[in-house]
Amino acid sequence: MLSGKCYEGRMLMESTAKTKRLLAGIREIKEEAITTFRNHSSVLNDSTLININRLFYLSAIAAPIRVLDIFLFTADPSVPKAWSRGIILSHLILLVFYSGVFIVSLHLRKKAQVNLTMRILQYVIPFIVLLSGIIVTAIDQLVTTNITPFLLVSIVFGAVFLIRPLFSALILMVSYLVYYFAIALTITNPQVLLSNRVNGITAVALGFLISAMSWYYNYTNITQKRRIESQQEQLKQMAYYDPLTNISNRHFFNKTIKKEFSAMQRYRYSSVIIIFDLDDFKMINDTYGHLAGDHVLKQVAQLISSNVRRSDTVSRFGGEEFVILAPRISLDEGYALAEKLRKLIAGKAFIAGSTTSHITASFGVSLLQASEDHGSEYYISLADK
């Protein structure tokens, strides 16, 4: 009895352990599915804009083809009338449809932001495209047993439209159900009906395969493009911005002033360079430590940046020295701006370590003239003197 109880206990423990592993596996699959869905959702706006552009080109090609199809069926008197009328009517409806899609997509593709209309059209129009292929295929059964139109629209659906695999599968499944019953309206031979229904599954599967491959290819491209742009932005931040104060650095200032000289020579106006440094800044570092000094530099940079024009460029030139490029102002206006900033610094209490302190700054102003391009170092030297 004891050994039997031990056996039952061991079996219960093993069963419990298996159940826990199974539940853990289900949770892992669920979390992975949620993560994948969220990742795919992150590129929806990009894929929607791509879909609108593709709708434009698809309709621009499809509309003239419908005209050609109508002409060919109308010009041939030997075509069976019931079939001919059905095909011509369906192509006339498609001509109106694609013409409307062309006009709408022409308007929407000019927009940079995704709106609700775009989101709806990217799902509705692909379904209508599939539906058109189903209707033409059903009419074709009056004279032929092939399902080429349905196969073609399934391929077009997969190749043209960027739709998440889950929604792509749903649209294709609904389309197949419509196809399944639609072809039964015009096919009287049971063997042909069964064959075409089976072939329809192949067409839908092919469409889904192309759609899934297209989605993952574009998803990878979009995410890689974002990653590259992010890395480029980080490199730009490192190259042109001071990591401590988060304002532009000397390299960026030199690049900006070259552009400013070109603009000044073209439009004939003057600008001003203002240079300033913090008085006795070494005493702050010695008294409160370099971390406190860094904190003061950040506060000064923020104070100056928030009290100049958006067109002005504030840069950290090195240590406690800053420089400002103020375009399209006179020398007197430059003096007034420097005096304003000097008073702001003198009147503000800066946090240094665990205490607050008051600091002052010395300013110099130099006028840039379009007719005398001596280089930035010359004018900075003038301002410094």
Side-chain angles (χ1 to χ4, degrees), residues 102-351:
F102 177 82
I103 294 170
V104 172
S105 59
L106 177 63
H107 171 69
L108 291 177
R109 70 196 296 260
K110 297 176 183 178
K111 298 182 179 297
Q113 298 295 327
V114 174
N115 56 37
L116 182 60
T117 303
M118 294 180 182
R119 296 186 190 279
I120 294 173
L121 287 179
Q122 71 172 342
Y123 296 113
V124 172
I125 292 179
F127 180 73
I128 296 176
V129 170
L130 287 168
L131 189 61
S132 68
I134 294 170
I135 293 171
V136 173
T137 300
I139 296 173
D140 275 352
Q141 301 310 303
L142 295 172
V143 296
T144 181
T145 58
N146 73 68
I147 62 165
T148 303
F150 184 58
L151 175 63
L152 287 176
V153 293
S154 297
I155 293 173
V156 167
F157 172 85
V160 173
F161 303 106
L162 294 179
I163 300 176
R164 281 185 291 182
L166 175 61
F167 291 96
S168 174
L170 289 173
I171 293 172
L172 287 168
M173 286 173 61
V174 173
S175 300
Y176 178 76
L177 288 175
V178 176
Y179 165 84
Y180 183 90
F181 293 105
I183 60 174
L185 299 175
T186 50
I187 297 178
T188 56
N189 188 315
Q191 288 78 22
V192 174
L193 179 61
L194 177 61
S195 175
N196 282 356
R197 282 174 170 171
V198 172
N199 291 337
I201 296 175
T202 303
V204 166
L206 181 61
F208 177 74
L209 175 63
I210 297 173
S211 176
M213 291 173 62
S214 178
W215 171 264
Y216 282 106
Y217 174 77
N218 282 276
Y219 169 76
T220 302
N221 279 351
I222 292 170
T223 52
Q224 286 181 344
K225 181 182 176 182
R226 287 180 180 176
R227 193 176 298 113
I228 291 171
E229 289 174 350
S230 175
Q231 290 171 347
Q232 288 176 339
E233 188 62 30
Q234 290 176 0
L235 290 173
K236 180 181 176 182
Q237 187 77 13
M238 293 170 62
Y240 292 141
Y241 289 87
D242 177 51
L244 176 64
T245 59
N246 204 33
I247 62 173
S248 59
N249 59 17
R250 186 169 188 160
H251 179 57
F252 181 84
F253 180 83
N254 289 334
K255 186 175 181 180
T256 303
I257 202 170
K258 287 180 181 179
K259 293 181 180 178
E260 183 62 19
F261 271 122
S262 298
M264 288 167 58
Q265 290 169 354
R266 181 177 181 182
Y267 298 108
R268 294 295 169 182
Y269 64 85
S270 63
S271 299
V272 162
I273 283 181
I274 301 172
I275 190 168
F276 71 94
D277 56 24
L278 305 182
D279 300 329
D280 300 320
F281 185 73
K282 184 176 182 299
M283 185 179 67
I284 294 177
N285 284 333
D286 293 342
T287 305
Y288 303 107
H290 287 278
L291 289 178
D294 289 347
H295 198 46
V296 170
L297 289 174
K298 292 179 186 178
Q299 294 173 75
V300 170
Q302 184 178 8
L303 176 66
I304 298 300
S305 298
S306 58
N307 283 280
V308 296
R309 302 172 303 171
R310 295 187 65 174
S311 58
D312 297 339
T313 302
V314 181
S315 303
R316 185 184 177 198
F317 226 54
E320 71 276 15
E321 192 173 42
F322 296 82
V323 64
I324 303 168
L325 172 62
R328 296 180 181 273
I329 66 173
S330 65
L331 185 59
D332 288 339
E333 290 172 322
Y335 281 132
L337 176 59
E339 180 63 13
K340 169 192 167 184
L341 298 176
R342 187 191 67 79
K343 289 180 178 179
L344 283 172
I345 292 174
K348 181 176 174 61
F350 293 92
I351 299 173

